[in-house]
């Protein structure tokens, strides 16, 4: 299934076309939840959500503003450390604003519940969350996610922003690393 030599150990879980179509639906749903003159501020979580944000806002036919926050919840591998560290804070405040957190994937839920807690403390008017992917079978904490692109099984996925040891973020599709040929960590 792989279409590039260097990702020969990947199988495709979601094609670029499936992702594109689902994001168009999500964009309509999110944009439609706020009045045309209401403020809508999207906060993307780096690095994984950068492509999702870019594709989401390009199909939103309304004014939006964006900001970025970076957190680190994993080491280089695929296991959650359970610890979340803020690496980059937002540029602007959130008081009185309609804020939507844009995240790549909710796995244990630890990262999102931490993010929601610190962003809620900044007094937004509303705070919702959009995740491209959700792995509900792995949840450790109950966390509210209003918009979910795809619910997936417990696979470690890469591509479309998601990485394994910082690689694969540039794949246009979402794949699962298969076989015993998982590349060694640098
Ligand atoms: P959580 O705190 O366990 O919910 O993990 C959320 C973060 O872990 C995401 O923002 C991703 O960066 C990373 N993550 C979780 N599952 C995967 C995966 O299957 N592939 C790549 N990154 C993942
Ligand atoms: Mg991430």
């Amino acid at each position: 299934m792989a279409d590039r030599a260097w990702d020969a150990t990947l199988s495709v879980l979601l094609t670029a076309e499936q992702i594109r179509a689902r994001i168009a639906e999500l964009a309509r749903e999110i944009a439609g939840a706020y009045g045309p003159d209401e403020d809508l501020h999207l906060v993307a979580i780096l690095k994984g959500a950068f492509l999702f944000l870019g594709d989401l806002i390009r199909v939103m036919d309304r004014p939006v503003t964006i900001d970025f926050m970076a957190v680190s919840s994993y080491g280089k591998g695929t296991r959650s450390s359970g610890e979340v560290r803020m690496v980059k804070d937002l540029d602007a405040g959130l008081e009185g604003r309609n804020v939507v957190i844009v995240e790549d994937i909710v796995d244990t839920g630890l990262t999102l519940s931490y993010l929601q807690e610190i962003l809620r403390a900044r007094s937004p008017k509303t705070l919702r969350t959009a995740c491209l992917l959700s792995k509900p079978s792995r949840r450790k904490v109950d966390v509210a996610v209003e918009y979910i692109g795809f619910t997936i099984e417990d696979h470690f996925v890469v591509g479309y922003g998601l990485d394994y040891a910082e690689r694969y973020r540039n794949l246009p599709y979402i794949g699962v690393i298969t076989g015993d040929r998982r590349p060694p960590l640098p």
Side-chain angles (χ1 to χ4, degrees):
M1 258 303 197
D3 58 10
R4 300 182 191 187
W6 56 273
D7 63 26
T9 58
L10 293 183
S11 64
V12 178
L13 183 66
L14 296 165
T15 65
E17 174 54 26
Q18 285 176 298
I19 297 167
R20 189 204 58 75
R22 182 66 185 122
I23 288 178
E25 292 175 354
L26 280 178
R28 260 197 305 279
E29 205 184 325
I30 297 169
Y34 303 88
D37 300 323
E38 275 187 289
D39 140 85
L40 177 55
H41 188 56
L42 304 179
V43 168
I45 310 307
L46 294 172
K47 304 171 195 164
F50 82 109
L51 291 179
F52 180 32
L53 178 80
D55 285 345
L56 191 66
I57 62 174
R58 276 186 289 182
V59 291
M60 275 187 178
D61 190 16
R62 59 154 296 139
V64 295
T65 52
I66 63 170
D67 205 345
F68 296 94
M69 180 177 265
V71 295
S72 151
S73 56
Y74 280 13
K76 281 183 177 177
T78 62
R79 295 262 166 257
S80 175
S81 65
E83 268 173 55
V84 180
R85 192 165 51 93
M86 195 192 300
V87 178
K88 180 212 175 295
D89 203 348
L90 299 174
D91 291 338
L94 302 179
E95 198 175 340
R97 311 185 73 172
N98 293 313
V99 176
V100 177
I101 300 173
V102 176
E103 173 62 310
D104 53 2
I105 185 165
V106 50
D107 186 31
T108 63
L110 291 167
T111 306
L112 261 185
S113 61
Y114 166 82
L115 284 168
Q116 290 179 354
E117 191 182 319
I118 59 171
L119 297 189
R120 202 170 282 118
R122 300 178 186 186
S123 309
K125 182 175 167 202
T126 61
L127 181 65
R128 293 184 187 157
T129 303
C131 273
L132 183 62
L133 304 172
S134 174
K135 286 195 267 191
S137 65
R138 299 248 317 156
R139 211 71 94 239
K140 284 187 184 156
V141 290
D142 196 24
V143 63
V145 182
E146 287 78 7
Y147 306 102
I148 291 176
F150 301 92
T151 297
I152 62 170
E153 301 294 312
D154 181 13
H155 301 298
F156 193 81
V157 292
V158 295
Y160 196 74
L162 291 138
D163 74 306
Y164 172 66
E166 295 298 329
R167 292 164 60 183
Y168 303 106
R169 294 193 196 273
N170 57 323
L171 294 177
Y173 58 87
I174 290 172
V176 179
I177 300 176
T178 54
D180 306 327
R181 294 179 53 215
R182 179 175 286 201
L185 294 172

